[in-house]
Amino acid sequence: MSVAEIARRDDGFDPFDLNAPFDTWEQLREEQPVFFHEPTGYFVVTRHADVKAVFDDWETFSSENAQAPMRPMCEEGKRIMKEGGFTAYSGLSARVPPDHTRIRKIVQGCFGPRRFKSIEPKIEAIIDRQLNKVAPQGGCDFFREVAYEVPALVLFTLMGIPDADVPKVKDWAVSRALLTWGNLTDEEQIPHAHKMVEYWAYCRALVAARKEVPGDDLPSDLVRLQAEGAEITDEEIAGVMYSVLFAGHETTTTLMANAVISLMNNRDQWDAICADPSLIPSATEEVLRYSPSIVAWRRRAKKDTEIGGVAVPKGSDILLIMGSANRDEAVFENGCQFDVTRKNARTHLSFGFGIHFCIGSQLAKLEFGIMLRELTRRFPEMRLKEGQEITFLHNISFRVPARVDVQWGA
């Protein structure tokens, strides 16, 4: 019997089912905010204060399991990856100090406001081009036809990767998500193992290519800093590429799609932004709070400790449900309501907290803000297509819709 088949407890909690988890999360915050979930072997944490405290204490709560597969790779998958030369570990999210501190300092110098500001006109052009494609149609699957490619095209501009590679990198990203946070059978793991070999080879080849012919992009910056004496290896640069090429677009794609769902289901909030675009910055933070891309992340206890008064033994795996913490009434008044004028929305935990706070958060918000500005300007009458049932990817962390059909015009 698979983990997913036994994961649902008598109280209805199934961490892999992200279709409509909010009522269950609310009940857990009120009645059992920290508990041990036997089917997965994880301590589950649902309140804002507790989630934030765990994120903030990296010495007690290690990120070493953040990228570990929820279901271990089968023997055949391991063979495929080993023989294929797959040695990827993590760019930053699963690393701990001192390696994390060393690598993050180098990467942060390249992945900051100066470079983001320089590509803002390109972001606008990419979004404009994508919306021009769908405008005459009177509607589209917003997830697949707009949000799916835009963040990848933006990221690839930063990375110096040709637009033609978008489909295969997006495909590799899905495989990585399913292998790490999903619950695949042994047979289902095999094709994704092959794709991870391809993905890692691509990242390593990217570093080698920039050593031969440098460009004006992130991998070239890292290679240049390495040549100037920065303490970062080729494998670590490839690891950064492996992480950024996944996290740098998949989460923003999902953020855009989830935003449309939330805004269309709260029409007064959409209309308020259409009437007053100055609300976009606060609306961005509220979308991140209310319907984030990543709703849960993992940590491991390095010593005997406690969370919210519950004893947590050394070696325990911990599931932090940020999607629940972001609606905690102790922090957010009427936390289950969507309010683009909310004053403290930016205290959400969707980008994490502490030393592992998302390094690409500013880029994500820049892209999303431009997309929201253009959507409200060009399609103020946009609405969800009637009769659709939006479902979400079966996994433990990423709340990704399968499709989001929208319409505009008559």
Side-chain angles (χ1 to χ4, degrees):
M1 183 176 291
S2 71
V3 173
E5 290 173 311
I6 62 173
R8 183 177 294 278
R9 304 190 319 167
D10 291 341
D11 63 11
F13 179 68
D14 175 1
F16 292 94
D17 184 358
L18 300 179
N19 284 305
F22 303 105
D23 289 345
T24 299
W25 289 346
E26 182 177 13
Q27 182 180 356
L28 290 173
R29 286 196 305 273
E30 293 174 356
E31 300 176 6
Q32 203 174 11
V34 181
F35 67 93
F36 183 70
H37 183 248
E38 290 189 11
T40 56
Y42 276 74
F43 280 87
V44 177
V45 184
T46 59
R47 285 182 180 170
H48 189 280
D50 295 329
V51 172
K52 183 178 179 181
V54 172
F55 272 136
D56 200 32
D57 186 359
W58 64 266
E59 292 179 297
T60 301
F61 303 104
S62 170
S63 63
E64 64 192 57
N65 65 338
Q67 303 288 334
M70 283 298 298
R71 184 178 182 276
M73 178 64 74
C74 65
E75 290 304 314
E76 176 63 9
K78 288 179 182 177
R79 183 193 65 77
I80 290 167
M81 296 175 80
K82 181 178 180 180
E83 292 182 2
F86 183 88
T87 55
Y89 173 53
S90 170
L92 288 169
S93 64
R95 293 186 184 272
V96 296
D99 283 347
H100 174 271
T101 308
R102 170 178 56 82
I103 297 172
R104 185 179 177 108
K105 183 177 180 180
I106 296 167
V107 175
Q108 201 155 16
C110 306
F111 207 69
R114 178 193 63 80
R115 186 167 287 283
F116 298 161
K117 192 68 178 175
S118 71
I119 69 163
E120 187 168 350
K122 295 180 182 178
I123 297 174
E124 293 174 332
I126 289 168
I127 290 174
D128 187 59
R129 185 169 69 245
Q130 209 72 14
L131 295 181
N132 285 342
K133 286 182 185 178
V134 299
Q137 300 173 188
C140 68
D141 173 2
F142 181 82
F143 178 70
R144 290 289 172 184
E145 297 182 63
V146 179
Y148 191 72
E149 286 197 356
V150 166
L153 292 169
V154 170
L155 183 71
F156 289 6
T157 298
L158 275 172
M159 304 281 279
I161 292 171
D163 292 353
D165 287 354
V166 169
K168 65 182 179 183
V169 175
K170 295 291 280 189
D171 190 44
W172 291 332
V174 171
S175 291
R176 184 179 173 194
L178 289 172
L179 281 176
T180 306
W181 296 280
N183 186 46
L184 303 177
T185 65
D186 287 3
E187 185 178 359
E188 290 169 337
Q189 287 179 343
I190 302 304
H192 298 294
H194 284 292
K195 289 180 181 180
M196 287 300 91
V197 169
E198 295 171 9
Y199 183 22
W200 181 236
Y202 184 89
C203 293
R204 296 179 75 178
L206 182 62
V207 177
R210 292 306 183 271
K211 288 199 162 191
E212 290 291 327
V213 183
D216 182 20
D217 50 46
L218 176 61
S220 296
D221 286 350
L222 294 174
V223 167
R224 174 180 52 79
L225 289 172
Q226 182 196 56
E228 293 173 356
E231 190 182 347
I232 187 168
T233 67
D234 288 359
E235 287 282 294
E236 288 168 342
I237 296 174
V240 171
M241 301 303 105
Y242 176 77
S243 293
V244 172
L245 279 173
F246 170 75
H249 60 93
E250 284 298 305
T251 51
T252 310
T253 285
T254 306
L255 178 66
M256 291 175 177
N258 287 346
V260 166
I261 297 169
S262 296
L263 286 161
M264 295 299 96
N265 284 330
N266 293 273
R267 193 74 201 185
D268 59 328
Q269 303 298 296
W270 171 260
D271 291 341
I273 301 169
C274 290
D276 182 7
S278 71
L279 289 172
I280 288 175
S282 63
T284 298
E285 299 294 348
E286 179 66 350
V287 168
L288 283 161
R289 181 195 74 85
Y290 186 82
S291 51
S293 307
I294 302 176
V295 296
W297 211 239
R298 291 176 288 166
R299 289 292 184 264
R300 178 170 292 150
K302 300 300 290 181
K303 60 185 179 183
D304 290 342
T305 185
E306 67 173 44
I307 303 172
V310 175
V312 176
K314 178 180 179 180
S316 297
D317 287 319
I318 301 157
L319 184 68
L320 306 173
I321 305 186
M322 299 100 74
S324 170
N326 286 348
R327 298 187 179 207
D328 192 338
E329 298 276 346
V331 178
F332 305 103
E333 186 177 358
N334 300 317
C336 290
Q337 292 183 12
F338 183 66
D339 179 5
V340 298
T341 65
R342 188 180 296 275
K343 300 301 182 185
N344 70 336
R346 67 193 309 269
T347 59
H348 62 76
L349 298 172
S350 299
F351 289 129
F353 189 81
I355 67 169
H356 287 95
F357 187 83
C358 176
I359 200 168
S361 60
Q362 293 305 313
L363 177 61
K365 289 195 282 188
L366 174 62
E367 289 180 61
F368 177 77
I370 295 171
M371 176 65 81
L372 185 54
R373 182 191 74 200
E374 292 306 301
L375 286 175
T376 52
R377 182 180 68 84
R378 298 177 60 158
F379 309 114
E381 73 282 15
M382 186 169 71
R383 60 197 180 276
L384 291 176
K385 184 178 180 180
E386 293 184 5
Q388 67 177 307
E389 180 182 354
I390 298 174
T391 59
F392 293 80
L393 184 69
H394 190 77
N395 77 111
I396 208 158
S397 289
F398 294 85
R399 195 161 188 265
V400 183
R403 61 184 295 128
V404 182
D405 289 318
V406 296
Q407 297 174 316
W408 50 82

